[in-house]
Amino acid sequence: MEHYERVWAEVDLDAFTRNLYAIRGAVSPKAGIIGVIKADGYGHGAVPLAREMEGMDFVQGYATATAQEGFSLRRAGIRKEIFVLGYTFPSDYPEMLRQRIGAAAFTEQMLSDMDRAGREAGEKMRIHIAVDTGMSRIGIRPDDAGIRFVRTAAACPGLEISGVFTHFAESDETDKTRAEAQFAAFTAFAERIRRESGLAGLRFHCANSAAILDMPQTHLDAVRAGIILYGLWPSDEVDHVHTRLEPILSLRSHVVYVKELEAGREISYGGTWKTQAPTRVATIPVGYGDGYPRSLSNRGSVLIRGRRAPILGRVCMDQFMADVTGIPGVETGTEVTLIGRDGGEQITMEELGGLSGRFNYELACCLGRRIPRLYKKDGKTVQIRDFEA
Ligand SMILES: *Cc1c(COP(=O)(O)O)cnc(C)c1O
């Protein structure tokens, strides 16, 4: 079954696999890949993508943003390592232990709560120690107190240190000065841990997508690949040449109404577009209720029959209008591409992210629950996720 009419997203699992092999080719051979699939795999669907990565030996595991995202992966039978990148709440620790979900740790309170939960469960809570080298979000400082923190963690019987990590704030910019300073602080701290705590074999990781592409020296023991898994770019400034990535998601719909408007007619709420000449206008049944940004009003366009049709007037919650004057053969039922390719034309998440004043990451995450996801292999639909079915 793949009879979706109003709106649907196609996720190309073959392109996803090609992206992973391209990333593997870009990553230092001694580093494993951690697939960052938070926020439901940046809106693409964490479970179907994790299933693809289960069989790839170079993928060590997955990172999520919340414990609940980890639980949903385990519920779906995902078995590799999972850890949570952000804060986790003590009420979740028992379940995280049962499901072998690791946690970021960065306060003494977290260590003692996690240690107690581990001892009570008769298991070890797996932790990744977060180090703040300049992002100022979460993490211990890489200083003397930081060394004491690592020693304390290592001495807790209910804990196992699975990794030590930091996160770059500006690795996606051309000027890598700050990213390099963060990296230097991190490697110096790693060296101190090795020397002063006597802990051997710790896994150090810091590279996000931008650092994977642009800063090979940062790959260390593992890299955390996020946006590039999906064939999207961390920014315009990173190297787009050496790693071949393909966007894996396309968003499509159908025209539901076509009409001719005479000059001087206003279109949509607020009358922000007024026709200057006779105009052929198509109505498309998608809107910001689906996560299609309202800020594309009078700015964005869609592809119809391989041509660009500019958006006219405001994007409504569930519908918007586009100019199809000069595109022959548009009628009710004609396919519309909101993101993806149609003939020689392409609309990327990056283009819409820029035009809408959002951001490609944000746009992908915000694709709504009203949009069914169809997973394709060899051109065939192999799975459907329809939240409203
Ligand atoms: C989201 C996130 C990543 C992945 O970032 P990308 O830019 O998508 O590669 C890596 N590490 C941490 C800590 C994150 O929060």
Side-chain angles (χ1 to χ4, degrees), residues 270-289:
T272 60
W273 183 273
K274 197 173 194 178
T275 54
Q276 300 299 312
T279 309
R280 204 166 149 76
V281 175
T283 302
I284 295 145
V286 179
Y288 61 80

Side-chain angles (χ1 to χ4, degrees), residues 38 42 133-135 137 166-184 205-219 223-228 233-240 359 361:
K38 59 196 180 189
Y42 294 38
T133 55
M135 175 77 177
R137 187 168 67 177
T166 195
H167 189 52
F168 293 121
E170 299 177 13
S171 53
D172 59 336
E173 296 178 12
T174 307
D175 179 353
K176 303 291 191 217
T177 312
R178 267 203 70 212
E180 271 156 16
Q182 282 193 262
F183 184 60
H205 52 98
C206 59
N208 56 3
S209 292
I212 290 171
L213 299 174
D214 282 2
M215 303 176 73
Q217 73 279 19
T218 67
H219 295 179
V223 299
R224 301 189 304 271
I227 197 89
I228 54 176
W233 297 96
S235 74
D236 292 342
E237 296 179 29
V238 298
D239 176 1
H240 282 48
F359 176 40
Y361 287 65

